[in-house]
Amino acid sequence: MSDVRNPLPTGTAVPRNPMPTSGTAEIGVSVPNVSVRGPEVPRTIEALDPVFTVSGLSVFYGDYEAVRGVDMTIGNREITAMIGPSGCGKSTVLRCFNRMNDLIPGARAAGKILYHDEDLYGDHVDPIEVRRRIGMVFQKPNPFPKSIYDNIAYGPKVNGVKGKMDDIVEEALTKAALWDEVKDKIKQNALSLSGGQQQRLCIARAIAVKPDVILMDEPCSALDPIATTKIEDLMQELTRDYTIVIVTHNMQQAARVSDRTAFFTAEVDADGVRHGRLVEFDETSRIFTNPSDKRTEDYITGRFG
Amino acid sequence: MAILSTPRSAVQLASKGRPLREHLFRIALLASLAIAIAFLAMLIVYVVEEGWPRLDSTLWENQPSIRRPETAGIQSGILGTLWIIGLTALMALPTGILAAIYLEEYADKTKWYNRLIELNISNLAAVPSIVYGILGLGMIARWMQFGFTVMTGALTVSLLVLPIVIISAREAIRAVPPSIREGSLALGATQWQTIYRQVLPASVPGIATGSILALSRAIGEAAPFLMLGAATLVRFNPEGVWSTFTVLPLQIYSFIARPQEEFAILAAAAIVILLAILLLMNSVAIWLRNRYQKRW
């Protein structure tokens, strides 16, 4: 984690693409639910065309409130990065977006997450349907112990997709920039691929069910720099069709790929209970060049975390 | 000559001799292994040598007889054992595997009743087989009025191996990494699809191995059948699940109990057959495990 020790020179933090000029004027400004330090009021920039609108989200494990009062929006066809030190709750929040937290006994979310206009935690919502539309890529590549082909075909099959499976597989692998590397060994076991290829296979697997959003939980933390670059390039490609939310420990990665960045941190409350907080949520360029919160600045310059 | 900044003594790499304890420990391990293997070899050599004169086709072509020990066979015992094992496999394996799936994938381990069930299954696996014999006699043979039939025997042995099947199937299911389940669920698969298409196929080698080992334990059992008041000398093959039968261990027991020398030889030959069936089943288990073992 050299990026934590070395202060990030301002200027390397070039956002993926500058904000579209047509949209900048309409960006709403609201005061987030964080303690205010310093003279400037921290801003939360709301995405113009939100896929997720999170308001007052708290996540509990049993009686323990792991994350408190998160407000943020995830913009359509954007990459939103979530950064922060270990244990700050960024993965926990990510796993609320496709209700993967439901699988942990005792886990519960309070507050509201709107997916487009629908309450993700509404009574009528089927988590299976949620996960079909909101895919996920995990920290450690987890291909199924089957052939490359079967890995891709699995998602469409369980979702009852009709159509020519060969085409679906080829399309997904092509989109994940893996087709040329594996087209001659499509029937081989996926576990024979390298770590980076396995992770792109997992991305292809997520794409194959034609989701709306892809959540990525530290997708590059188990990969070497070359494989990481490939995944990052792939993410840029994918924003043409998908909304991406990525949790990363690598601040340079967040700076390189994302449009907006949410900075989380762990705080200890008056009762001595450690919990995660969203400190600042803003355009990536702003977070890395001119953060409004002192804690954000300390973190990105490596003074803390 | 270069001047070394590090003193010569600090870079001494030559062996200082392995400590005695290392050697002793290794010898103790080897000795334990040697004892186990030696006894197994002695057993096999002894029974093969003893039963050699009768290890021919009359052994499995003829039925047992008290009057003609020199030509008596064990056909009814071999077929009885195969019937029992087949029926036990049909009844105990699906039940055991489904129970294991419930306990591993569905049961909320924070609930007291699930923990109680788990504890009791472990205890049941340790219950002596003769106790199952009493249960079979009282419940199945008498109360349910199944009598001493293949069905009664198979039901009793099913109860006997069920806890072992459950425990080994649970271990195999638990060995499938949680990341596989997460990967499947994240694609919008239901819990049953995840279990049926990912977890079960990945754990089949382990489940099969455990099941075969559990069944081979059932093959060697004589106690529950004795308790059921089994006929030891059955001169006909079982014809269905409601037929009277005997099993190999019981036949061996009845031969040994007789005074004539020929019956001792016959018993040894029958033991060789029993061991052969056991070794065959265990080899299949090992083959299955090696053939389908998963690397993660």
Side-chain angles (χ1 to χ4, degrees), chain B residues 230-244:
Chain B
T232 48
L233 203 90
V234 176
R235 291 188 45 81
F236 49 85
N237 297 329
E239 280 160 354
V241 296
W242 303 113
S243 151
T244 312

Side-chain angles (χ1 to χ4, degrees), chain A residues 95 100 103 128 131-132 134-136 138 142-146 154-155 157-159 191 205-206 209, chain B residues 108 110 179-191 193-194 197-198 201-202 294-296:
Chain A
R95 284 165 157 266
M100 282 302 270
L103 305 173
I128 307 291
R131 291 178 205 134
R132 197 210 142 318
I134 302 162
M136 190 163 206
F138 297 86
N142 60 344
F144 304 128
K146 298 167 181 271
Y154 178 73
K157 262 185 208 158
V158 296
N159 286 299
L191 294 170
R205 191 171 74 180
V209 296
Chain B
D108 179 354
T110 57
S179 64
I180 295 294
R181 294 178 182 82
E182 282 193 332
S184 171
L185 291 168
L187 289 168
T190 62
Q191 190 173 12
Q193 283 171 330
T194 301
R197 289 166 174 261
Q198 299 293 348
K294 294 282 190 308
R295 299 169 299 108
W296 302 108

Side-chain angles (χ1 to χ4, degrees), chain A residues 168-184:
Chain A
I168 295 174
V169 171
E170 182 175 343
E171 192 195 334
L173 284 171
T174 308
K175 273 191 179 172
L178 194 59
W179 175 249
D180 290 334
E181 288 165 61
V182 301
K183 63 179 177 220
D184 300 323

Side-chain angles (χ1 to χ4, degrees), chain B residues 32-292:
Chain B
S32 310
L33 188 65
I35 290 170
I37 301 248
F39 274 104
L40 182 65
M42 264 164 62
L43 172 76
I44 290 173
V45 168
Y46 175 77
V47 290
V48 170
E49 201 180 17
E50 181 83 7
W52 188 252
R54 288 304 319 276
L55 276 173
D56 50 35
S57 60
T58 56
L59 190 66
W60 50 84
E61 280 169 359
N62 293 358
Q63 296 292 359
S65 158
I66 310 170
R67 278 165 291 164
R68 290 184 302 279
E70 61 285 345
T71 58
I74 51 166
Q75 197 183 49
S76 60
I78 295 174
L79 284 168
T81 292
L82 294 179
W83 266 95
I84 292 285
I85 290 310
L87 209 53
T88 302
L90 274 181
M91 295 188 293
L93 300 189
T95 323
I97 293 165
L98 291 177
I101 291 173
Y102 171 78
L103 287 172
E104 278 303 312
E105 303 286 329
Y106 289 92
D108 179 354
K109 282 176 186 117
T110 57
K111 296 278 188 300
W112 65 270
Y113 47 84
N114 286 320
R115 287 207 305 270
L116 188 73
I117 292 172
E118 270 181 42
L119 184 71
N120 276 309
I121 286 170
S122 316
N123 284 339
L124 281 177
V127 169
S129 57
I130 195 136
V131 177
Y132 284 99
I134 300 172
L135 181 75
L137 179 67
M139 289 286 293
I140 303 163
R142 299 222 177 116
W143 188 69
M144 290 162 78
Q145 298 191 336
F146 281 9
F148 183 67
T149 56
V150 172
M151 186 51 114
T152 306
L155 276 172
T156 308
V157 175
S158 293
L159 293 178
L160 173 71
V161 299
L162 200 53
I164 311 170
V165 173
I166 294 175
I167 289 169
S168 59
R170 282 188 68 184
E171 263 159 33
I173 291 168
R174 208 178 309 144
V176 177
S179 64
I180 295 294
R181 294 178 182 82
E182 282 193 332
S184 171
L185 291 168
L187 289 168
T190 62
Q191 190 173 12
W192 174 244
Q193 283 171 330
T194 301
I195 291 169
Y196 187 72
R197 289 166 174 261
Q198 299 293 348
V199 177
L200 278 185
S203 56
V204 153
I207 293 176
T209 310
S211 301
I212 291 173
L213 294 180
L215 288 178
S216 42
R217 179 183 165 191
I219 282 191
E221 285 294 344
F225 298 106
L226 274 176
M227 204 62 215
L228 287 167
T232 48
L233 203 90
V234 176
R235 291 188 45 81
F236 49 85
N237 297 329
E239 280 160 354
V241 296
W242 303 113
S243 151
T244 312
F245 75 103
T246 190
V247 289
L248 273 177
L250 218 55
Q251 220 159 39
I252 292 165
Y253 172 78
S254 90
F255 289 148
I256 297 246
R258 295 180 189 281
Q260 293 97 321
E261 172 68 14
E262 287 89 342
F263 279 117
I265 297 170
L266 190 57
I271 289 171
V272 173
I273 299 291
L274 188 61
L275 282 178
I277 297 177
L278 277 177
L279 286 178
L280 185 73
M281 288 180 70
N282 288 0
S283 323
V284 170
I286 291 167
W287 177 79
L288 270 176
R289 194 174 54 210
N290 291 345
R291 173 79 177 69
Y292 295 103

Side-chain angles (χ1 to χ4, degrees), chain A:
Chain A
M1 292 296 286
S2 59
D3 46 303
V4 176
R5 285 192 298 274
N6 301 334
L8 196 69
T10 45
T12 56
V14 180
R16 185 171 65 91
N17 44 12
M19 284 301 295
T21 44
S22 62
T24 36
E26 296 163 66
I27 287 166
V29 179
S30 77
V31 181
N33 187 8
V34 289
S35 56
V36 179
R37 293 188 195 175
E40 201 180 348
V41 175
R43 315 178 318 149
T44 291
I45 303 287
E46 279 170 3
L48 184 61
D49 175 15
V51 173
F52 291 108
T53 311
V54 182
S55 46
L57 176 73
S58 295
V59 188
F60 295 83
Y61 294 117
D63 294 332
Y64 169 60
E65 191 178 5
V67 181
R68 292 180 196 177
V70 174
D71 298 281
M72 63 192 287
T73 54
I74 308 288
N76 195 11
R77 306 280 191 274
E78 287 187 355
I79 299 180
T80 306
M82 290 156 72
I83 60 169
S86 297
C88 67
K90 54 198 188 302
S91 285
T92 300
V93 171
L94 187 78
R95 284 165 157 266
C96 287
F97 289 143
N98 67 343
R99 295 193 54 171
M100 282 302 270
N101 272 347
D102 291 19
L103 305 173
I104 301 165
R108 181 168 64 82
K112 210 161 215 172
I113 302 179
L114 292 180
Y115 170 62
H116 297 288
D117 282 329
E118 209 167 345
D119 184 359
L120 211 52
Y121 280 84
D123 289 334
H124 60 286
V125 172
D126 179 2
I128 307 291
E129 284 300 313
V130 171
R131 291 178 205 134
R132 197 210 142 318
R133 285 172 180 76
I134 302 162
M136 190 163 206
V137 175
F138 297 86
Q139 183 170 5
K140 196 168 161 275
N142 60 344
F144 304 128
K146 298 167 181 271
S147 71
I148 295 167
Y149 185 96
D150 288 342
N151 261 278
I152 307 292
Y154 178 73
K157 262 185 208 158
V158 296
N159 286 299
V161 171
K162 304 268 186 292
K164 225 161 157 279
M165 199 53 82
D166 291 0
D167 297 341
I168 295 174
V169 171
E170 182 175 343
E171 192 195 334
L173 284 171
T174 308
K175 273 191 179 172
L178 194 59
W179 175 249
D180 290 334
E181 288 165 61
V182 301
K183 63 179 177 220
D184 300 323
K185 46 179 182 177
I186 203 95
K187 296 288 177 192
Q188 267 183 34
N189 195 312
L191 294 170
S192 65
L193 298 174
S194 73
Q197 288 174 324
Q198 286 187 12
Q199 195 62 299
R200 275 179 287 148
L201 179 71
C202 291
I203 294 173
R205 191 171 74 180
I207 293 171
V209 296
K210 302 206 164 25
D212 179 26
V213 183
I214 302 174
L215 308 176
M216 297 186 173
D217 192 356
E218 297 180 42
C220 301
S221 66
L223 305 181
D224 67 46
I226 293 170
T228 300
T229 310
K230 282 188 180 160
I231 303 260
E232 286 178 5
D233 291 346
L234 175 58
M235 287 167 64
Q236 311 284 15
E237 286 290 314
L238 292 176
T239 43
R240 268 188 262 159
D241 300 309
Y242 304 98
T243 303
I244 294 176
V245 186
I246 177 174
V247 163
T248 178
H249 267 130
N250 182 334
M251 282 183 289
Q252 283 153 344
Q253 181 171 60
R256 278 193 299 265
V257 301
S258 71
D259 300 290
R260 290 168 208 277
T261 298
F263 170 63
F264 286 77
T265 192
E267 281 180 4
V268 178
D269 66 11
D271 299 328
V273 180
R274 201 180 134 93
H275 61 279
R277 283 275 192 187
L278 174 64
V279 174
E280 191 171 355
F281 178 54
D282 210 330
E283 286 164 39
T284 298
S285 54
R286 206 174 155 88
I287 288 270
F288 282 96
T289 52
N290 186 19
S292 17
D293 197 287
K294 181 78 168 50
R295 291 166 292 179
T296 314
E297 193 183 334
D298 286 353
Y299 185 71
I300 61 161
T301 52
R303 273 198 285 275
F304 134 79

